[in-house]
Amino acid sequence: MTAEGDNFAGVYFKMIKNIDLGNHSMKIGQYPGWNADRRFFAGVFDGNNCTVINLNMTESGMGGGLFSVVSGTVKNLTVYGSVNGNDKMVGGIVGWLYQGTLENCSSYVNVTSNGGNYAGGLVGFYNYSR
């Protein structure tokens, strides 16, 4: 395991079975804020054609989704559940895709954004480049 705050650049994660979150919240990564050190998830997360079910998230800040902010790769993943955001950048799988890649993913997530713009079933906010 790596230290808290690590962005996991160069690290490969692979799911080996489906995950039932039991209607609990789970978020990988944290939206760091505009002036913070930007340690977005920069690794590779391979869902291996597995499924995450019963995601139930209420997010009070920006970057709501199973992954908050991704600058790496998320692939081969299906997610079922709900994400209710009270701010911007709310997505079923990724809140903010920041120079990252989403490949072969499916979202069956009910996404709502009560506090702003940028909500989407897969990605809440577009792939921003410098």
Side-chain angles (χ1 to χ4, degrees):
M1 199 59 164
T2 58
E4 182 177 337
D6 191 339
N7 66 3
F8 298 105
V11 179
Y12 179 85
F13 298 90
K14 185 175 184 178
M15 285 179 64
I16 58 172
K17 65 179 185 175
N18 296 335
I19 297 173
D20 184 346
L21 293 176
N23 288 315
H24 293 291
S25 179
M26 177 179 167
K27 180 166 67 171
I28 300 168
Q30 179 72 31
Y31 178 78
W34 292 108
N35 298 317
D37 184 18
R38 294 177 187 245
R39 293 186 180 260
F40 306 155
F41 178 80
V44 175
F45 185 93
D46 185 351
N48 193 32
N49 298 313
C50 293
T51 303
V52 174
I53 63 171
N54 295 320
L55 170 68
N56 187 0
M57 175 183 290
T58 299
E59 179 60 39
S60 60
M62 291 188 195
L66 181 61
F67 289 83
S68 180
V69 184
V70 172
S71 62
T73 300
V74 177
K75 62 184 183 177
N76 306 319
L77 179 65
T78 300
V79 180
Y80 287 84
S82 66
V83 176
N84 182 10
N86 294 318
D87 210 328
K88 299 175 184 172
M89 296 182 263
V90 181
I93 296 180
V94 178
W96 182 9
L97 188 62
Y98 181 84
Q99 300 178 344
T101 305
L102 195 66
E103 302 173 7
N104 192 35
C105 292
S106 299
S107 171
Y108 300 91
V109 179
N110 182 13
V111 177
T112 56
S113 177
N114 298 318
N117 301 325
Y118 314 120
L122 288 169
V123 175
F125 192 63
Y126 59 89
N127 198 4
Y128 174 82
S129 62
R130 297 177 195 173

